[in-house]
Structures are given as C-alpha cells and as structure tokens.
Amino acid sequence: MRAGLVSLLEGLGHTVVAAVGDGDALVAAAREHRPDLVITDVRMPPGFTDEGLRAAVTLRASDPRAAVLVLSQYAATAYAAELLGPTGQAGVGYLLKDRVGAVADFADVVTRVAGGDTVIDPDVVRQLLSRQRTANPLDRLTPREREVLGQMAEGRSNPQVAQALGISDAAVAKHIGNIFMKLDLPAEEGHRRVLAVLTYLRA
C-alpha cells in the first residue's frame, strides 16, 4: 500500500520526500524533511498494532507544525481521540483506508489536512452519533448543536456546515459559539475548534 500511495500522491502532483516502513523511521524522516503532510497507517512494523499512530502522536506532541493524516482499517474512535489529543497549529486527519480508492475525495482530504484542517472519517462520526451517551459534556448541547459539532468533527468549514444542514452561516457561527460556551472552552483558548471535536470524540 505504501508504494501505491506514493504513486497516487505523485500522480496528484505532490512530491513524496520519504517512504518508510516503521514508526521510528517515520518520526526521523518527518523531523529531517519537515514535509507539509505526514501520512501513516495506524499499524506498522514491528508489532503491527498501533506503531504508526504512536509515531503520529509523538510528532504532533513535539512539533505543533506537523500535519498528520492517519489511515486505519477500522473506525476506531479511541484512535481518533488519541490523535487529536496533542493540540497544535497544524492539520490532522483520521481516515479509513477504503477512502483512498475514492481518489478525488482523498485528494481533497490531503489538501485540507496539509492546509491546517481537521478531518475525521464520516464513519467514525456516525459511530459516535450512534453510541448512547450518559452524563457527559455533550448532554449540555441541543440536538442542532450536536449536529453542527458532528459536521465540525468531519472537518467541514462553517459554510460547508451551513450547506449540509440547510441553515445560514450566521446560524452556524451562533451554534458554534454556544458549543464553545457549553463545553467550557474560553475565548482565550487558541484551538477551541479542535478541543470541541476532541471532547466530542471522547464523550
């Protein structure tokens, strides 16, 4: 799959500066080349458990400019929550491997995460929505606010949320403001959007 991704990315006009086979090599290559985006599988040698995810978390914790897109075979919400844990200035994404085959959509995700967006696979978001929640911060939100937050978790911008839900941009901005307030995310906190999504994933 690594060779296939290299070919696909180069075909989309990107330059691949390194293609490595384990988590340690990934961290080393990212620190050497400072790429616009790091793409990794959750599972990498030698254990094929969560080495790639660990490498991504390490990068994000040590370098706030490191944009990371993690690919996974399964919609594991715990992985998505852990990836978002170390908040930084750069983009972050969690995408199921099946999405890579939808080339146009995958190309869009690559561009968005490299540009600083947070993109979570829709299947992960749907899984979160279907779970029964009790006694958590999201209980403070109205159904519409939860819908808006779900759209935010998928990495959509305010205009995209407005279009998806059939409401105005001003209404979206108001809902997001209410979400920040109800989740106790003060204005001085610099990454409230990411923190709100992280609260959503952990709930």
Side-chain angles (χ1 to χ4, degrees):
M1 184 171 183
R2 183 166 71 247
L5 275 174
V6 169
S7 177
L8 173 59
L9 291 165
E10 289 179 341
L12 292 171
H14 301 293
T15 299
V16 179
V17 296
V20 300
D22 62 70
D24 290 341
L26 185 148
V27 172
R31 288 174 175 168
E32 176 185 354
H33 296 286
R34 301 286 181 181
D36 295 320
L37 178 65
V38 173
I39 301 177
T40 181
D41 197 333
V42 167
R43 299 180 178 184
M44 295 185 75
F48 291 97
T49 54
D50 60 357
E51 290 84 357
L53 174 73
R54 296 286 167 217
V57 171
T58 295
L59 278 175
R60 280 178 49 74
S62 63
D63 184 358
R65 299 166 299 174
V68 177
L69 173 59
V70 173
L71 304 177
S72 178
Q73 187 70 39
Y74 306 105
T77 56
Y79 282 155
E82 186 161 5
L83 182 64
L84 286 170
T87 56
Q89 300 169 359
V92 59
Y94 179 87
L95 199 65
L96 295 184
K97 290 181 183 179
D98 291 347
R99 309 290 183 195
V100 177
V103 175
D105 292 340
F106 178 68
D108 179 59
V109 170
V110 167
T111 300
R112 288 165 61 193
V113 176
D117 285 352
T118 298
V119 181
I120 306 298
D121 194 282
D123 279 357
V124 176
V125 175
R126 278 192 287 271
Q127 191 176 103
L128 289 162
L129 286 171
S130 67
R131 287 192 330 200
Q132 185 176 4
R133 301 180 178 93
T134 58
N136 68 67
L138 300 187
D139 290 339
R140 306 170 193 166
L141 305 183
T142 66
R144 176 61 87 183
E145 288 163 357
R146 286 198 186 201
E147 286 183 320
V148 170
L149 185 52
Q151 294 287 316
M152 290 166 60
E154 292 187 22
R156 290 188 170 90
S157 65
N158 285 18
Q160 289 172 327
V161 174
Q163 183 177 13
L165 299 181
I167 58 179
S168 68
D169 289 357
V172 171
K174 181 178 178 181
H175 287 312
I176 291 175
N178 289 339
I179 289 167
F180 291 159
M181 179 184 67
K182 291 179 180 180
L183 296 183
D184 297 323
L185 300 175
E188 59 269 19
E189 179 57 63
H191 304 285
R192 291 192 295 172
R193 199 177 185 98
V194 172
L195 291 175
V197 171
L198 181 58
T199 300
Y200 180 75
L201 291 171
R202 284 177 168 168

